Amino acid sequence: MLDKRKSSLLAIVAFLGFLSTVDGQGNRRIADAEPKYVATQEGQTLNLMCRIALPITSCRFIIPGVPEEIKLNPTWKRNDNFRYHGSGLENGNCGLTILSIRKEYHGNATCILDPNDGGLDAIGNIEIVIAKAPQLPVIESSNIKDLEADKEIEVECSSVDGRPAANITWYLDDQLLGPGEEEIVDSPNEGTIYYTVYSKLRYRVRPDDNTRFLICRAYHPGYPEGFADARMQLNVNYRPLAKPETIISGLEIGSTATIGPISIQANPRPTLRWTVDGVVIDEGQQTQRYVANEPIQVGVSIWNASLTIIELTLQDTTRTYQLRASNAFGATDYRIRIGGSQDAPDSGLGIVSIVAITIISLLVLVIVVLVVVAKITKRWCFAGDSMHPNGPDSEAQIAPEDDKTHEHYEQHEKSADDEPETGADDVVIKATNGKAKGNTSV
C-alpha cells in the first residue's frame, strides 16, 4: 500500500513539474530553491527555502518518506517535525524547517508556490542526501612492503558503502600530496544506492620519507569528526648517503685520539670498513695502533662511525683516512683528514718551535764534534796567527823555503827547550833561514 502511495506522489510531482514549465503566457516558471543539494544526517535540523518575486497564496512541500504534502504558512503547526520559515507569503517566501532529519527523507524534495497573479505554480527541487558514513578507509599495502628510495610506488585506498561518496585526499604526515586518481562505484544495498570510492596514488619515495606516515584521509559528513584516516608507516631502504670530505681538528699529538664521529645516514644499518695507508680495519677490530669502533645509532637511520688512534703521531696528521659504509642497497666511500695539526705534546710547543729546536741541537752537536776533533789532532783553523809570535806584523818574519830549513828549525827549537831558563821575561828565539840570522826578545 505504501509503495502505491509513493508511486502516486511521484506521478503528481512529475505532472506538476510539467505544468510549472510555463506560465500564463507560455513561459517557464521555476522557483528559486536553496540549497540545490544538501547532505545531512539523521537527527539534524535542516532549513529549505523556495522563493519567487511575487506574493504567493500558498506554500507546499513534498518530502520523500512523508505520505502527504506539507502545506505551510506562518501560523501552520500541524506537524511537530515541520515548521514554516521565511519572511512571509506576501514576500514570495516558501520555507520549510525540518526539526529532526530521518533516514527516509533521503531523495528529491519539491516545493510548490501558488502566485497571486492567477498564473501557474512555481516549482523548485532540492536534493536531500541523508548521509551514511562509509566504512573506515583502508590502504592496500601488499605491494609496498619493501620500499627502495628513488623508486615509484603505487598505493590504493578505498572507502566502502558511503552516502554520499567520500572525498579522499592523500597526505605524507602533514604534507599534502593530492587527491590521487579516483573511481566511484555504485553499491546497491537493500534498495538504497551507496557509493564506494577507490583512490590510487603514485609517488616516488625519497630517503627522508623513511618512518613517515602515508595517510589516506576520507572526508564524509557521516564521520563524527568529518573525516577518517587510514595510515601506513613507510620503511624506505637506501644506500648510505654521500657527504663532503670531513676534516677533524683539535686532536692532541701523543695522546689517544678519536677520528669522528662521522655521521652516516642509511637504512638498514651500514657495515663499516676503514682504510689507513692501505691497511684495512673492519668495524670492531684493531690493527696496530688503529681501532675501528662499531657504529652507534643516534637517530632514525643515522649512525655515528669513529676510528681510535693510540698515541697520535705527527705522521698520523698527514694521512688521509677512508671509510666505506655499505648495506644491501649499495656502498659509499667517505674521506676524512686531520686538520689543525698545530696541536703538540703537553709542553705546548708548536711544530715550528720543534723544528727550530731540532736544527739548533744539530748545530751545537756539529760544533762540539769539531772542537773535539781539533783538540785531538791539534789542528786549529787559526793556528798560523796565534801559536807563534812572529805573525804578519812582527819585525822579523820566518818563511821556511824548503823541507831542510823547516827540519833545521824544528831541531833548533828542540835544543832550545833543553837549555836552562834564563828568566821569566827573557825568551830567546833563534832562527836560521840560510841567508840571515837575527835575535828577537820580547
Side-chain angles (χ1 to χ4, degrees), residues 403-419 430-432:
D403 294 339
K404 291 182 179 181
T405 304
H406 182 65
E407 182 180 355
H408 177 73
Y409 175 76
E410 289 180 345
Q411 292 176 355
H412 186 75
E413 271 195 327
K414 184 176 181 182
S415 61
D417 293 336
D418 296 335
E419 294 177 0
K430 298 179 180 180
T432 304

Side-chain angles (χ1 to χ4, degrees), residues 104-401:
E104 56 264 27
Y105 296 168
H106 175 78
N108 288 318
T110 302
C111 58
I112 305 168
L113 289 71
D114 297 323
N116 65 355
D117 62 357
L120 297 176
D121 295 341
I123 294 180
N125 292 291
I126 299 173
E127 184 181 359
I128 301 175
V129 176
I130 310 303
K132 173 191 174 294
Q135 300 174 24
L136 294 177
V138 176
I139 296 178
E140 175 58 47
S141 59
S142 60
N143 62 333
I144 56 173
K145 292 182 179 178
D146 295 319
L147 303 181
E148 188 172 351
D150 301 321
K151 291 189 177 181
E152 188 177 82
I153 62 172
E154 182 177 295
V155 290
E156 185 175 82
C157 179
S158 61
S159 172
V160 178
D161 289 346
R163 187 179 65 192
N167 293 318
I168 293 180
T169 303
W170 291 91
Y171 293 85
L172 188 62
D173 287 344
D174 295 330
Q175 177 189 348
L176 176 63
L177 298 180
E181 299 176 7
E182 204 168 82
E183 180 185 5
I184 301 177
V185 179
D186 293 347
S187 303
N189 188 349
E190 298 181 354
T192 303
I193 300 298
Y194 297 113
Y195 303 94
T196 296
V197 182
Y198 299 97
S199 180
K200 186 178 296 183
L201 174 72
R202 291 182 176 87
Y203 177 71
R204 185 176 296 275
V205 294
R206 302 168 300 179
D208 57 0
D209 292 334
N210 186 41
T211 72
R212 299 179 73 181
F213 283 92
L214 185 65
I215 301 173
C216 166
R217 179 164 294 171
Y219 292 93
H220 194 276
Y223 290 131
E225 296 182 2
F227 66 88
D229 289 347
R231 292 169 172 258
M232 182 181 65
Q233 190 172 29
L234 301 180
N235 180 32
V236 182
N237 299 295
Y238 54 94
R239 64 187 293 172
L241 300 183
K243 61 188 306 181
E245 181 179 73
T246 302
I247 299 178
I248 304 296
S249 59
L251 303 183
E252 185 176 300
I253 295 175
S255 66
T256 297
T258 299
I259 297 179
I262 310 300
S263 179
I264 298 174
Q265 187 175 349
N267 188 45
R269 174 195 184 280
T271 300
L272 306 182
R273 170 173 288 183
W274 290 84
T275 302
V276 183
D277 283 351
V279 178
V280 175
I281 312 116
D282 290 322
E283 64 177 57
Q285 303 296 320
Q286 177 176 351
T287 300
Q288 300 173 10
R289 296 181 298 110
Y290 304 102
V291 180
N293 302 306
E294 293 188 359
I296 300 174
Q297 186 170 10
V298 295
V300 177
S301 303
I302 300 176
W303 312 82
N304 276 353
S306 62
L307 178 72
T308 299
I309 304 177
I310 301 172
E311 295 183 0
L312 182 72
T313 66
L314 187 61
Q315 187 179 8
D316 290 329
T317 66
T318 64
R319 294 188 172 100
T320 297
Y321 300 84
Q322 180 173 298
L323 170 63
R324 168 163 289 191
S326 59
N327 58 20
F329 296 89
T332 303
D333 290 331
Y334 304 90
R335 288 170 56 87
I336 302 98
R337 290 191 300 108
I338 298 178
S341 57
Q342 71 278 3
D343 292 334
D346 294 340
S347 62
L349 297 178
I351 296 301
V352 176
S353 300
I354 294 175
V355 173
I357 291 174
T358 302
I359 294 175
I360 293 173
S361 300
L362 291 175
L363 290 176
V364 171
L365 180 62
V366 170
I367 293 173
V368 171
V369 170
L370 290 176
V371 170
V372 171
V373 172
K375 187 173 183 180
I376 295 174
T377 60
K378 295 183 179 181
R379 293 182 181 179
W380 305 89
C381 59
F382 45 82
D385 294 335
S386 60
M387 292 296 293
H388 303 285
N390 294 331
D393 297 329
S394 62
E395 294 181 2
Q397 298 184 9
I398 302 174
E401 293 183 351

